[in-house]
């Protein structure tokens, strides 16, 4: 049985985020990009995170801090625009994580995405 995709879509990794992380396909929507970036956080794929981070807001060291959280699940709460015909959109999500052995937390954010040269990129987000 194929491994489930870490993003929680219900699809297999091979049939969901893997083609995006490998650069074999571009995420068609802001939500798909958001899911693939969550999967990249789970897999500590700094190169993919850097490649999908808008140049204006990308940290100098994307890998910094990547090892600190254990990600336990993603819930997409809502989206605005960000579809195949759009150039911008937002995705609101909760990402559950454990830090250390016992501390559980969640990261809730409304993220902004724009399309640059046909490819969705993460710009920034508001914590909520
Ligand atoms: Zn996925």
């Amino acid at each position: 049985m194929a491994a489930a995709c870490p993003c929680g879509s219900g699809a297999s990794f091979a049939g969901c985020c893997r083609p995006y992380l490998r650069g074999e396909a571009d995420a068609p929507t802001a939500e798909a990009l958001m899911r693939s970036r969550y999967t990249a956080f789970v897999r500590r794929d700094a190169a993919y995170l850097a490649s999908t981070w808008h140049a204006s807001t990308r940290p100098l060291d994307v890998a910094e801090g990547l090892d600190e959280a254990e990600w336990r699940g993603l819930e997409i709460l809502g989206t605005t625009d960000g579809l195949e015909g759009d150039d911008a959109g937002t995705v609101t999500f909760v990402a559950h994580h454990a830090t250390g052995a016992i501390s559980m937390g969640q990261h809730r954010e409304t993220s902004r995405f724009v399309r640059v040269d046909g490819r969705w990129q993460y710009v920034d987000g508001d914590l909520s």
Side-chain angles (χ1 to χ4, degrees):
M1 193 183 132
C5 192
C7 81
S9 64
S12 69
F13 179 50
C16 187
C17 292
R18 192 175 73 184
Y20 309 140
L21 268 64
R22 285 188 173 180
E24 296 167 353
D26 291 330
T29 64
E31 180 179 340
L33 186 81
M34 167 63 225
R35 288 181 172 281
S36 69
R37 284 176 51 86
Y38 172 82
T39 296
F41 274 105
V42 171
R43 298 173 61 86
R44 312 201 193 297
D45 185 338
Y48 183 76
L49 292 170
S51 75
T52 56
W53 213 313
H54 196 270
S56 68
T57 54
R58 187 189 305 140
L60 286 176
D61 183 2
V62 172
E64 186 182 346
L66 212 51
D67 290 339
E68 285 167 19
E70 289 288 335
W71 297 96
R72 297 290 167 81
L74 175 69
E75 293 171 59
I76 302 290
L77 302 179
T79 63
T80 61
D81 300 323
L83 301 178
E84 294 181 46
D86 295 321
D87 291 320
T90 70
V91 179
T92 301
F93 66 93
V94 175
H96 300 275
H97 59 83
T99 311
I102 52 169
S103 168
M104 293 290 293
Q106 60 180 31
H107 177 97
R108 182 181 163 130
E109 180 179 323
T110 298
S111 298
R112 278 181 286 278
F113 297 88
V114 296
R115 205 199 288 265
V116 178
D117 296 332
R119 299 183 66 220
W120 285 105
Q121 296 201 310
Y122 171 76
V123 181
D124 59 10
D126 293 324
L127 301 182
S128 51

